[in-house]
Amino acid sequence: MSLHTPLVALESTVIAHGLPYPHNLALAQEMEAIVRGRGAEPRTIAVIGGELRAGLSEAELLHLATSTAVRKVSRRDLPIVAARRLDGATTVAATMWVAQRFGISVFATGGIGGVHRGAGDDISADLQELAQTPVIVVCAGAKAILDLPATLEYLETQGVTVVGYGTDVFPAFYSRSSGLAVDVRCDTAAEVAAIWRAKQQLGLPGGLLVTAPIPVEMEIPAVEIEPAITQAVQEAATRGLRSAEVTPFLLTRIAELTGERSLRANLALLRNNAAIAAEIAVAL
Ligand code: PSU
Ligand code: MN
């Protein structure tokens, strides 16, 4: 690997808490292979025995994919797992922060966290991280478990530029469109790279959110997903879930309620995002 090999960070919460075994392990390996196939080097990010890591062995990936002792680690959890030498799977927020420490500026994930539906007091640390940490995050938008208009308003307030990759509208994870406009459309990796360079030259802090819609043949119309979302959100409220428990619960319930098709859609958009992130890393 030369000094200038383009690097792409990958997160690990999706492996440990977002997808069932063995699909999670296969997907983690596939995303790494897709990045390599596009001329970049993957760096899956996690915390192992309290150590921040960018790049994992096969055994470490297997551990994240199978162990129930892996903590979900967002920004606020980093000092805890470091001090106590624990294993942790990093969310978008924590992955961005670790990526930046390792000098990696492009990161592929599935969906970001956001403003949850309802009272509005549950706002993912992912959004603040995008405002603070200089990493390009490639995702398929955010799941409609969230309040998507409120999530975009929050990003605007925080000064985060939202790019639509080959689209004018913010994608809603399983669906290609939320009906909400993005700030700018880019059709090539070079266009994304130009916006990133302009941001750096202007001295603006924080990241860039690049949203790519799920491949059209894998899309699940919003009307088909919405009943499962409504049910899962109600169940989370009934159980009185708080804080970091909410998102994993909603993801698991929606996967259970919608079955094989949503799993396949989830895997397809993750692969797509890995390919786009690699192209952006190469363009930079
Ligand atoms: N949304 C998904 N899949 C995921 C996540 C979100 O569709 O795996 C994970 C990501 O790691 C994201 C985290 O950063 O959940 C957000 O958790 P919270 O809402 O607790 O910040
Ligand atoms: Mn939360």
Side-chain angles (χ1 to χ4, degrees):
M1 194 188 80
S2 91
L3 193 59
H4 298 290
T5 302
L7 300 176
V8 173
L10 302 168
E11 67 147 301
S12 45
T13 289
V14 66
I15 303 171
H17 308 285
L19 292 168
Y21 180 81
H23 302 281
N24 54 357
L25 179 62
L27 186 277
Q29 292 165 336
E30 265 183 276
M31 285 182 81
E32 292 198 351
I34 289 166
V35 169
R36 284 196 188 95
R38 307 262 168 160
E41 273 293 317
R43 292 286 184 268
T44 301
I45 286 180
V47 183
I48 305 289
E51 202 188 329
L52 305 187
R53 296 279 302 280
L56 302 177
S57 68
E58 288 291 306
E60 287 164 342
L61 276 184
L62 177 65
H63 173 60
L64 290 177
T66 54
S67 171
T68 52
V70 175
R71 182 179 174 133
K72 175 182 166 188
V73 174
S74 193
R75 168 186 271 254
R76 58 112 193 249
D77 306 291
L78 284 167
I80 303 170
V81 287
R84 303 213 165 157
R85 312 221 186 293
L86 300 173
D87 296 333
T90 48
T91 64
V92 168
T95 302
M96 285 181 74
W97 196 82
V98 175
Q100 159 270 137
R101 295 269 292 187
F102 281 87
I104 306 169
S105 53
V106 185
F107 160 30
T109 186
I112 59 161
V115 180
H116 280 264
R117 294 184 184 189
D121 57 353
D122 184 350
I123 300 174
S124 175
D126 294 354
L127 302 185
Q128 270 296 313
E129 204 66 42
L130 280 160
Q132 297 176 62
T133 301
V135 174
I136 301 173
V137 179
V138 180
C139 69
K143 280 207 175 90
I145 55 172
L146 303 170
D147 183 334
L148 298 182
T151 298
L152 283 175
E153 291 293 348
Y154 192 94
L155 289 168
E156 182 204 348
T157 302
Q158 296 294 326
V160 178
T161 305
V162 179
V163 174
Y165 197 79
T167 182
D168 298 301
V169 287
F170 187 71
F173 200 86
Y174 296 119
S175 316
R176 288 174 61 84
S177 171
S178 64
L180 303 161
V182 291
D183 304 323
V184 63
R185 173 181 181 136
C186 290
D187 288 296
T188 63
E191 285 178 79
V192 175
I195 289 178
W196 183 246
R197 277 192 300 269
K199 181 183 165 82
Q200 311 287 89
Q201 278 156 15
L202 289 166
L204 288 163
L208 183 67
L209 188 62
V210 175
T211 63
I214 183 171
V216 67
E217 66 280 8
M218 300 305 293
E219 181 177 30
I220 308 177
V223 286
E224 283 178 46
I225 287 286
E226 189 55 39
I229 292 173
T230 307
Q231 184 179 335
V233 169
Q234 270 163 9
E235 287 178 11
T238 305
R239 288 172 187 231
L241 296 184
R242 307 289 308 161
S243 186
E245 303 170 323
V246 176
T247 298
F249 174 82
L250 294 176
L251 298 180
T252 303
R253 278 305 278 147
I254 288 162
E256 285 167 0
L257 293 167
T258 56
E260 189 74 10
R261 189 167 172 208
S262 70
L263 174 64
R264 274 187 288 125
N266 205 336
L267 299 175
L269 66 86
L270 280 158
R271 291 186 199 104
N272 187 51
N273 295 345
I276 293 167
E279 284 166 14
I280 294 169
V282 169
L284 283 175

